[in-house]
Amino acid sequence: MRQAQVYRWQIPMDAGVVLRERRLKTREGLYLCLRDGSQEGWGEIAPLPGFSHETRDEAQAVLMAWVDRWLQGAETLPGMPSVAFGVSCAQAELAGTLPEAADYRAAPLCTGDPDELMLQLAAMPGEKVAKVKVGLYEAVRDGMVVNLLLEAVPDLQLRLDANRAWTPQKAQQFAKYVHPDYRSRIAFLEEPCRTRADSLAFAQQTGIAIAWDESLREADFAFAAEAGVKAVVIKPMLTGALEKVCEQVQAAHALGMTAVISSSIESSLGLTQLARIAAWLTPQTIPGLDTLGLMQVQQVRRWPGSTLPCLDSAALEPLR
């Protein structure tokens, strides 16, 4: 017999979290728990402010309507990306098709102090990969910080994310301060400029590889081999159903591009599922999941090694 429970939740964030020039004080979302006989499956639905087109309230309305249909035997997924992703994860757990093996490696995220990142890298075994948010400060400062990190850690591969913050002129100012000998150790720079054409021109002029992120969700985007494009960064919460995530990974791999499964600042439950998806679809690539430290608590499922307190489902707000 089918049963379903929806929960609404809110997690306090660290004070310094800024998304698209807005401070994110809390992370809000929904959980879906499906049961069928002795089987159970969970999914997280958490639209990301400034990136998702839908709000939590809109997602909640779509989710509740889907649950009513599912309880009557329907299986069709909703179209709204965050709801489709969360529902498809719950269904995959319920059916036993989401592998349990997980990749809990994470490229440490630096949003401010490079000294703190260097301490993390010194303690990091094996492949040294880190991510730096650029575009939040002056482009010249970003270039100097990136150059310092690459100079200080000779085996470091850096992933950079500009979130389309730069004009072509600002992007060139950044590149000017990164020594040409170090540029090959920038694994990729996500979406440096406001248009894809400007980002492609930047890659070809500077030799700094770029990656698509926001572009993947634009109606006119098509996977293609383009000079200077090395990777795609896939955020499943913004992409949609697991099937669509699989299709994007396969399309990137077919072109010889790296596909990185990346967080949309999910809770610990969602992050552990992303770690399982990464181990399944991109086993050779460290995922971009180092966002739990931005939160003050975990929920339902723990991230291995985290010392944050973990709330169980009894602490959540049930909606049905």
Side-chain angles (χ1 to χ4, degrees):
M1 180 180 173
R2 289 185 168 187
Q3 297 175 289
Q5 178 67 61
V6 177
Y7 300 95
R8 185 163 52 192
W9 52 266
Q10 187 177 78
I11 298 175
M13 302 291 289
D14 278 354
V17 181
V18 177
L19 289 177
R20 293 268 168 92
E21 300 181 354
R22 59 189 284 187
R23 196 167 298 280
L24 190 66
K25 296 181 179 179
T26 60
R27 188 71 172 101
E28 301 178 340
L30 303 153
Y31 293 138
L32 170 66
C33 179
L34 301 178
R35 295 185 180 91
D36 194 351
S38 62
Q39 301 303 113
E40 181 177 279
W42 285 75
E44 177 170 329
I45 298 93
L48 184 62
F51 291 81
S52 295
H53 294 297
E54 67 269 21
T55 65
R56 183 180 68 168
D57 288 345
E58 291 166 343
Q60 179 179 316
V62 170
L63 177 62
M64 299 301 277
W66 179 87
V67 166
D68 288 339
R69 295 194 299 272
W70 182 80
L71 290 171
Q72 299 302 315
E75 296 288 351
T76 305
L77 287 173
M80 188 176 280
S82 62
V83 186
F85 176 63
V87 166
S88 66
C89 285
Q91 288 184 316
E93 285 198 349
L94 193 68
T97 56
L98 181 59
E100 290 291 340
D103 187 347
Y104 293 115
R105 297 177 300 165
L109 174 64
C110 176
T111 55
D113 184 0
D115 291 336
E116 183 179 337
L117 177 61
M118 283 197 271
L119 288 173
Q120 289 179 276
L121 290 168
M124 191 176 184
E127 185 182 3
K128 295 192 186 305
V129 178
K131 182 171 182 176
V132 177
K133 287 281 188 182
V134 294
L136 300 175
Y137 308 102
E138 284 299 316
V140 169
R141 177 193 182 278
D142 286 333
M144 293 172 69
V145 167
V146 166
N147 196 74
L148 170 68
L149 289 168
L150 292 169
E151 183 177 36
V153 187
D155 55 346
L156 174 63
Q157 291 284 317
L158 269 186
R159 300 172 179 176
L160 309 178
D161 185 4
N163 285 131
R164 296 182 168 180
W166 291 330
T167 62
Q169 292 76 21
K170 290 282 188 184
Q172 288 294 339
Q173 286 177 8
F174 163 82
K176 179 181 176 182
Y177 282 85
V178 180
H179 194 288
D181 290 347
Y182 299 157
R183 293 179 185 181
S184 63
R185 288 195 287 120
I186 296 175
F188 52 77
L189 168 54
E190 296 175 41
E191 306 267 359
C193 301
R194 293 166 190 167
T195 69
R196 293 206 295 270
D198 284 344
S199 291
L200 282 169
F202 166 84
Q204 290 155 15
Q205 291 162 7
T206 64
I208 295 174
I210 63 170
W212 299 135
D213 178 356
E214 290 93 338
S215 295
L216 297 179
R217 299 180 290 279
E218 294 179 335
D220 64 344
F221 179 80
F223 281 87
E226 297 172 290
V229 182
K230 187 175 179 180
V232 294
V233 177
I234 300 171
K235 294 182 169 68
M237 189 65 68
L238 308 181
T239 301
L242 270 175
E243 182 180 2
K244 186 173 182 181
V245 174
C246 293
E247 289 172 354
Q248 289 193 344
V249 170
Q250 290 166 0
H253 287 172
L255 293 170
M257 298 165 68
T258 299
V260 180
I261 299 296
S262 185
S263 162
S264 299
I265 316 184
E266 286 86 354
S267 73
S268 59
L269 185 150
L271 286 173
T272 60
Q273 289 186 324
L274 290 176
R276 291 161 66 186
I277 293 166
W280 171 33
L281 300 179
T282 59
Q284 306 305 316
T285 302
I286 295 176
L289 306 180
D290 188 34
T291 55
L292 185 59
L294 304 176
M295 298 185 173
Q296 295 184 15
V297 296
Q298 304 184 76
Q299 291 184 157
V300 184
R301 295 179 186 168
R302 289 182 175 274
W303 182 271
S306 173
T307 58
L308 290 174
C310 186
L311 306 177
D312 62 23
S313 58
L316 306 174
E317 178 188 355
L319 296 183
R320 59 169 301 137

